[in-house]
Amino acid sequence: MTEEVAATIRPAAEPDIPAITAIYNHAVTHGTATFDIEEKTEADRLEWLRARDERYPVYVAESDGQVVGWAALSRWSERRAYDVSVEGGLYIHPDFQDRGLGRRLNAVITERARELGYHTLIARIAGGGEASMHMCETLGYEYIGRMREVGRKFGQYLDVHLYQLML
């Protein structure tokens, strides 16, 4: 890991939407951290942010006035019995990856999930996301399984690895 970047982590706000969108769209077009295959517009992301409530917060990491990463807690399933479970997700600007931001954002959403009374935090990581899998393992997540070839992106079938942290 290169030198950690100094950043403030805070709740996301509407002015953060351009940066959130750009970071997410980079993941859409260059990686498998998301299975979206078409870029989102700023209007899409604004609607997404406005549709969230206190149970499903979004946080940003800001360094020198620039949003360089973000993380969110999302509903695991629409079925009510799953309301005790939440999924975490995070995205880091490519120039700021491998500098400790993922761990810091993960710590914030993990603590927030505990405060909100969730029972378990789940992470889905596509095959090829070894850095994310390593981060989950070192943060105490348990590897609970692999869904084989459930997505197709960049002309290849992709597995999804599931990790779970009991809160």
Side-chain angles (χ1 to χ4, degrees):
M1 181 168 77
T2 57
E3 185 177 328
E4 284 201 17
V5 63
T8 301
I9 298 176
R10 60 170 174 77
E14 290 185 8
D16 301 322
I17 288 298
I20 288 171
T21 304
I23 291 165
Y24 187 74
N25 284 340
H26 186 274
V28 169
T29 59
H30 292 91
T32 57
T34 175
F35 275 17
D36 272 329
I37 57 174
E38 295 177 355
E39 291 185 347
K40 300 293 184 182
T41 65
E42 288 181 17
D44 292 332
R45 293 285 86 182
L46 182 59
E47 182 179 331
W48 165 83
L49 183 65
R50 287 178 175 167
R52 304 180 78 83
D53 62 24
E54 65 278 350
R55 299 255 324 139
Y56 303 104
V58 180
Y59 293 91
V60 295
E62 185 176 37
S63 180
D64 293 326
Q66 175 187 359
V67 172
V68 296
W70 62 271
L73 292 176
S74 299
R75 187 179 289 279
W76 173 248
S77 173
E78 293 297 319
R79 293 182 177 98
R80 295 295 310 266
Y82 288 112
D83 284 354
V84 298
S85 301
V86 67
E87 180 177 4
L90 61 93
Y91 297 87
I92 307 296
H93 186 287
D95 294 342
F96 291 84
Q97 292 176 358
D98 197 32
R99 297 179 66 188
L101 286 176
R103 288 179 168 282
R104 291 181 56 206
L105 281 164
N106 191 288
V108 168
I109 63 171
T110 299
E111 181 56 31
R112 188 66 185 128
R114 283 189 175 107
E115 291 169 358
L116 290 166
Y118 288 110
H119 183 65
T120 184
L121 177 59
I122 300 168
R124 286 187 280 185
I125 302 169
E130 282 78 13
S132 295
M133 289 188 268
H134 177 72
M135 181 182 70
C136 281
E137 290 164 3
T138 61
L139 293 175
Y141 284 72
E142 179 183 352
Y143 181 75
I144 58 172
R146 176 179 75 164
M147 298 185 298
R148 296 192 57 202
E149 299 182 0
V150 294
R152 186 166 171 81
K153 193 170 180 181
F154 305 127
Q156 62 182 350
Y157 289 102
L158 297 167
D159 295 347
V160 171
H161 301 271
L162 297 171
Y163 286 83
Q164 182 177 29
L165 181 66
M166 300 307 295
L167 300 171

